[in-house]
Amino acid sequence: MKLKYFSLLLVCASLSAAAAPNEPRPLALTPDTKFVALPDYATVGKYIIDGAWTVKSGQNYAFYNVEGRCIFGYEYTVQGNRWPQMVGGAVIMYAKGNTYDNPQQYILYLDGSVKELPAELTAPATNFVDGVALIGRNAGFKKEYIYINTQGERVYGELTSKPMQFCGENYTLPPLRDGLRAWCDPSSSWGGKWGFIDKDGNLVIPAKYDECRSFSEGYAIVKENGSVYFIDKKGNKAFEPQWSGVSGIQSVSDVHDGIISVSGYSVMTYYNTKGEKIGEVDGGSSFYGGYAFYNISSDYYSGTTWVMDKTLKQVGKADAIYLEWNYNGHTPDFNDLGVATSSGKKVIAPDGTVLIQHRGVNGNRANDYEIGDFSGSGYAKAELRHNGDKYYGFIDLEGKFVIVFDWNRSVTEITRDDNNPYLIIDPPGGDPIGDPIIYPIPINPEKEDPIGPRNTSRQAYTVSVRAEPAEGGSVSGGGQYYKDDKVKLAATASDGWKFTGFKCETQGVRISEAGEFTIDGKDVSVVANFVKKDVIEDVTTTGAFCAHQDISVNDGEYHLIYDAYMEMSAGKDIDTPYGNNTSGFLTCMIDGDEVITVKQKVNGKESTLSCRMFFVPMKISGIIKADGKQYLVLDGGQMLVGGITLGKEDPLAALFIELVAGHDTFGTVSKGRYRLELTQFDPSTGECTFGNLERFHPRMGWILSDDYPSTHEDRGFLSVNVDASIPGEFFRGLHMKPCSKRQVQWTPPKSWSEDAYDALVKDLLQQLGALETDWDMTFGK
């Protein structure tokens, strides 16, 4: 059904209808009362707050303004049991039917405009309280609740919390009172620990309390380890009244007019802010506006309620004020405007004066009534029954209906009601009311669509792209996008550089090789990798070179001794398994038959580890001169480990290590291209000192060999490292001097494999002869 709002053209203001001086104002329909037609079985919220009220139909909600105009139709919903309200003119909602599978949330505004929130904010939100709300976002496998303002911007820095019950309200956010807001520590256990933050989200009072309420007149009541007391705004214990039988904060009021009331079994006791008892009454209320109410047991059935001032002196009496306990004390619920509703029958001031009361003459119950609590905006729900007709809507502080949303006839007959002299209908321009006169109320529907949604502000997401390194090239396609937009990036390499692919730095986003992806509700950061194709020059030195190496193991208990050996030829006339006519090779002459044994701890037990090692020579492919340095270019090679055994002190660990290592296998040849820094290099003799070893990465270019990600191979239920890089400092500090040529072994000795040695050697030599490095696959041979 399309919703309509109606204007009631009715005059209710004759002299005889006006309340006499000091008489309470009655409920009244006026020519300005707006009639709003709602769906059958719709539920209306308790309040008009900041110019808006909420209606629920099924699982969806509509919002109306105080003029009766529909702001949003039934197009939005919430999760959980929150009653959504436009506090401060804004409310957080889901689109109807969209509350699961990463649902989108929006802020709806009083003027009908809409703001789309970031897609990561999928968990339910609270209403706004003093301009701030809590809303849940995805944080890995859990939800994290952050603070946002009415513009959807995150506030309070990195501070998080969790929605909790506070002052009897579920899933809410405490208000800002005396410049401080109660804060629940999200890391605390179930139930939470409470502290206080300031208006900027700075933690002022640490979260150590089991319960608390908001500050009032500079004090807040807290409960800590079973003790109930008041603190000041610095978190110091201000006072702890000398009471007995108080185990929780619910029976203690906030500070009002400098006085605290404590509800006991049969009495109300009062304390000052020094914690001193100042008196008690049979049954009373908290103070507000300088007054409190109390009942005397002997007057229980008399309908009399007494009024006292802050000295507990009786200063007057009122007519039957109902004293009801709530989270602010034993009192009628006075709002910030200084009015309260008692028993749903009358609206009173702090001194007991009745401001609004609609009642029949001589106690005639034909005129029923019901008045709810007033909001801080000055409106309350009320029900008026007149001659069997019912009007249900919102009244203002003068008792006048501003909105009627429920009545029992579309065209209502109004007659004089002698039991209700305050409701007199005088038709404009007509004869005086007879006995009776029937006057039909014209209800003129105006077909108007809801004000919103309009001016929808979509949440933009930023795609940031950069070239790395910056001189490597340029990349396009970054900018502002919306959820579900398709993005296509493009990269152009500079001269002498090559684009090697996109890398997304944002978790959960996958970019195709063509640079395409879809915005799924988050900012995205992308790196376009470029690598420079260095010029590789031929070596200019011919000869053999070596350096002696002695590596201490177990603090000198064992020494791994070997020679680093290198042959180079400027004429490219060295034949190797890598091919004929190469520029040479570099190797470490480690005796593959020697068993190396070292001590270690496995599962906390002393043990020994034994193995054999062999270094597959690396091919020399030239010289690179870059950044004022010279590098020797090396391809392939590998450090192989075989015959691993563990001391039998822990046979299970020994078996595992043997499986992981791929016992008695030759392994594979690395596909890496390395560059080894040459320092103190003498081109005439070839004598030099080695520096750090770097390896070429297809995306990142030259990186320290230790930082290169290894390749893994599945072997049964294990993943075995088959392309480990040679450590970056493996050759560092070796001073290579000319030496005589030596016989070089290219494969491990036969002791490594008794059964399939020939096949393993053949496989290893084939890998050497067909080597294609990462460099070759990137730039081509």
Side-chain angles (χ1 to χ4, degrees):
M1 176 179 80
K2 182 177 283 294
L3 298 180
K4 304 172 284 291
Y5 80 97
F6 305 104
S7 177
L8 175 65
L9 305 177
L10 179 63
V11 177
C12 302
S14 65
L15 291 176
S16 59
N22 299 320
E23 287 287 336
R25 294 185 288 272
L27 302 183
L29 299 169
T30 77
D32 296 322
T33 302
K34 304 295 189 300
F35 279 59
V36 179
L38 302 177
D40 292 339
Y41 310 112
T43 303
V44 179
K46 291 176 61 176
Y47 303 112
I48 294 177
I49 298 179
D50 297 338
W53 49 287
T54 311
V55 182
K56 181 180 182 182
S57 179
Q59 297 302 314
N60 303 315
Y61 295 81
F63 298 89
Y64 290 81
N65 63 22
V66 75
E67 299 299 323
R69 282 295 309 273
C70 181
I71 309 170
F72 295 98
Y74 299 89
E75 299 297 323
Y76 298 92
T77 188
V78 297
Q79 286 188 32
N81 60 358
R82 171 174 66 111
W83 184 268
Q85 184 70 55
M86 281 191 178
V87 182
V91 63
I92 301 171
M93 304 290 291
Y94 297 99
K96 71 175 182 180
N98 180 33
T99 56
Y100 300 98
D101 298 329
N102 297 320
Q104 179 66 54
Q105 296 201 76
Y106 306 85
I107 301 180
L108 312 184
Y109 296 99
L110 186 63
D111 65 357
S113 60
V114 177
K115 184 178 182 64
E116 184 179 283
L117 288 172
E120 67 172 353
L121 302 178
T122 61
T126 68
N127 288 329
F128 286 101
V129 180
D130 297 317
V132 177
L134 273 173
I135 188 169
R137 70 172 184 176
N138 290 318
F141 296 101
K142 64 179 181 178
K143 300 294 183 185
E144 177 182 72
Y145 281 84
I146 66 174
Y147 293 89
I148 63 171
N149 60 20
T150 56
Q151 297 305 309
E153 304 161 333
R154 183 168 185 178
V155 294
Y156 297 174
E158 296 300 312
L159 188 70
T160 62
S161 188
K162 52 186 176 182
M164 295 289 290
Q165 184 182 80
F166 192 79
C167 287
E169 185 177 352
N170 287 320
Y171 213 81
T172 189
L173 175 68
L176 188 68
R177 295 291 181 267
D178 290 352
L180 296 174
R181 189 192 298 270
W183 171 71
C184 185
D185 184 354
S187 66
S188 57
S189 59
W190 189 90
K193 291 290 186 180
W194 290 88
F196 290 87
I197 57 177
D198 64 17
K199 64 180 180 60
D200 299 315
N202 300 307
L203 184 60
V204 176
I205 302 175
K208 63 178 182 177
Y209 307 111
D210 301 309
E211 294 180 77
C212 72
R213 285 209 300 268
S214 297
F215 273 85
S216 175
E217 299 184 16
Y219 302 99
I221 187 170
V222 298
K223 180 178 180 180
E224 182 185 13
N225 298 326
S227 178
V228 176
Y229 58 92
F230 284 83
I231 60 172
D232 62 23
K233 293 170 63 175
K234 293 183 179 180
N236 300 315
K237 180 184 288 188
F239 58 92
E240 185 174 6
Q242 300 303 306
W243 49 37
S244 61
V246 175
S247 59
I249 67 175
Q250 287 76 16
S251 61
V252 184
S253 78
D254 293 334
V255 177
H256 295 297
D257 297 329
I259 299 173
I260 304 101
S261 57
V262 180
S263 176
Y265 178 73
S266 60
V267 298
M268 180 70 78
T269 308
Y270 296 94
Y271 297 85
N272 61 24
T273 54
K274 295 180 181 180
E276 301 167 336
K277 179 179 175 179
I278 58 176
E280 63 183 33
V281 295
D282 288 348
S285 75
S286 296
F287 276 84
Y288 189 94
Y291 299 96
F293 307 111
Y294 70 97
N295 296 319
I296 301 175
S297 299
S298 59
D299 292 338
Y300 185 78
Y301 295 104
S302 70
T304 299
T305 299
W306 299 95
V307 183
M308 60 183 176
D309 63 16
K310 293 192 295 182
T311 66
L312 305 192
K313 177 183 177 182
Q314 178 182 313
V315 293
K317 67 178 180 178
D319 184 22
I321 294 175
Y322 179 61
L323 304 182
E324 180 181 12
W325 186 260
N326 58 35
Y327 273 81
N328 200 32
H330 207 157
T331 177
D333 193 11
F334 285 98
N335 65 11
D336 293 339
L337 301 176
V339 299
T341 301
S342 176
S343 281
K345 296 181 179 181
K346 53 192 173 185
V347 181
I348 61 174
D351 64 356
T353 300
V354 180
L355 305 175
I356 301 172
Q357 184 176 18
H358 191 78
R359 60 189 177 188
V361 176
N362 299 323
N364 190 304
R365 296 185 60 81
N367 302 284
D368 203 357
Y369 43 82
E370 178 180 330
I371 305 174
D373 293 328
F374 274 86
S375 70
S377 297
Y379 301 96
K381 260 186 176 181
E383 179 180 337
L384 165 65
R385 294 189 180 184
H386 170 75
N387 282 346
D389 292 330
K390 179 180 72 172
Y391 302 91
Y392 199 15
F394 290 102
I395 61 171
D396 61 18
L397 288 169
E398 294 183 352
K400 298 176 181 178
F401 279 91
V402 293
I403 298 289
V404 169
F405 51 75
D406 188 13
W407 64 102
N408 57 359
R409 292 189 181 94
S410 60
V411 176
T412 304
E413 297 176 352
I414 299 294
T415 62
R416 181 189 300 278
D417 180 2
D418 292 333
N419 290 321
N420 189 354
Y422 302 123
L423 185 65
I424 296 179
I425 310 303
D426 188 9
D431 296 330
I433 293 178
D435 186 22
I437 183 171
I438 298 175
Y439 179 65
I441 301 173
I443 302 175
N444 302 319
E446 298 182 24
K447 296 181 179 179
E448 292 185 276
D449 291 329
I451 298 171
R454 65 181 186 85
N455 299 333
T456 299
S457 174
R458 295 195 65 191
Q459 175 67 37
Y461 300 96
T462 301
V463 176
S464 303
V465 293
R466 71 180 190 275
E468 194 170 283
E471 64 270 24
S474 60
V475 58
S476 62
Q480 298 291 304
Y481 292 88
Y482 300 108
K483 193 172 184 295
D484 298 325
D485 281 354
K486 306 294 183 183
V487 181
K488 183 172 176 59
L489 307 178
T492 304
S494 303
D495 291 341
W497 292 77
K498 182 172 181 177
F499 169 65
T500 58
F502 294 106
K503 178 184 177 182
C504 186
E505 297 179 317
T506 304
Q507 187 176 5
V509 178
R510 298 180 65 87
I511 301 179
S512 70
E513 292 185 3
E516 298 176 343
F517 63 97
T518 301
I519 297 295
D520 68 349
K522 60 172 71 76
D523 294 336
V524 180
S525 178
V526 181
V527 174
N529 291 117
F530 296 89
V531 294
K532 186 176 182 180
K533 187 176 182 180
D534 295 294
V535 176
I536 300 178
E537 302 177 6
D538 292 336
V539 298
T540 58
T541 303
T542 299
F545 307 85
C546 67
H548 191 65
Q549 179 71 303
D550 184 345
I551 299 177
S552 176
V553 181
N554 282 3
D555 295 327
E557 185 175 330
Y558 179 84
H559 289 262
L560 177 62
I561 300 173
Y562 63 89
D563 284 346
Y565 176 73
M566 176 174 65
E567 286 187 20
M568 284 194 298
S569 173
K572 295 185 178 180
D573 56 5
I574 300 177
D575 294 337
T576 71
Y578 288 106
N580 297 329
N581 303 318
T582 68
S583 296
F585 59 88
L586 170 65
T587 189
C588 295
M589 305 186 77
I590 300 174
D591 184 356
D593 287 318
E594 182 179 358
V595 176
I596 302 169
T597 301
V598 294
K599 290 182 179 180
Q600 62 173 15
K601 279 190 176 181
V602 178
N603 294 337
K605 299 178 181 179
E606 291 287 345
S607 183
T608 57
L609 173 67
S610 299
C611 66
R612 286 170 289 188
M613 301 180 67
F614 182 83
F615 192 92
V616 177
M618 307 170 76
K619 180 177 72 170
I620 294 175
S621 295
I623 296 288
I624 289 177
K625 298 176 181 177
D627 303 323
K629 297 179 181 179
Q630 292 195 69
Y631 300 89
L632 186 65
V633 180
L634 304 168
D635 292 338
Q638 191 70 288
M639 175 65 79
L640 301 183
V641 180
I644 297 177
T645 57
L646 191 70
K648 300 306 179 183
E649 292 85 348
D650 193 335
L652 182 61
L655 176 61
F656 178 75
I657 288 182
E658 289 181 5
L659 288 171
V660 170
H663 180 57
D664 283 343
T665 60
F666 280 11
T668 57
V669 175
S670 171
K671 296 184 181 299
R673 167 157 286 184
Y674 299 86
R675 68 179 191 181
L676 180 60
E677 184 181 359
L678 302 177
T679 63
Q680 302 174 359
F681 179 58
D682 185 346
S684 62
T685 64
E687 188 171 335
C688 65
T689 300
F690 289 153
N692 285 332
L693 185 69
E694 298 176 354
R695 183 171 174 177
F696 175 79
H697 189 280
R699 288 184 181 271
M700 296 179 282
W702 294 109
I703 59 176
L704 189 65
S705 183
D706 305 74
D707 298 334
Y708 195 92
S710 299
T711 302
H712 298 270
E713 177 182 290
D714 289 332
R715 294 184 181 175
F717 60 89
L718 296 172
S719 180
V720 179
N721 187 330
V722 295
D723 190 21
S725 294
I726 299 171
E729 295 188 354
F730 188 76
F731 297 103
R732 183 179 178 86
L734 289 178
H735 187 70
M736 304 295 286
K737 296 182 178 181
C739 67
S740 59
K741 289 187 177 182
R742 300 187 184 183
Q743 185 68 34
V744 174
Q745 192 171 352
W746 289 86
T747 60
K750 196 168 184 176
S751 60
W752 277 45
S753 178
E754 296 292 340
D755 298 330
Y757 180 74
D758 292 340
L760 293 172
V761 167
K762 181 179 178 181
D763 177 66
L764 183 57
L765 293 176
Q766 284 179 342
Q767 291 184 56
L768 296 175
L771 178 64
E772 185 179 23
T773 67
D774 292 335
W775 173 285
D776 298 325
M777 289 182 279
T778 301
F779 298 112
K781 288 191 175 182

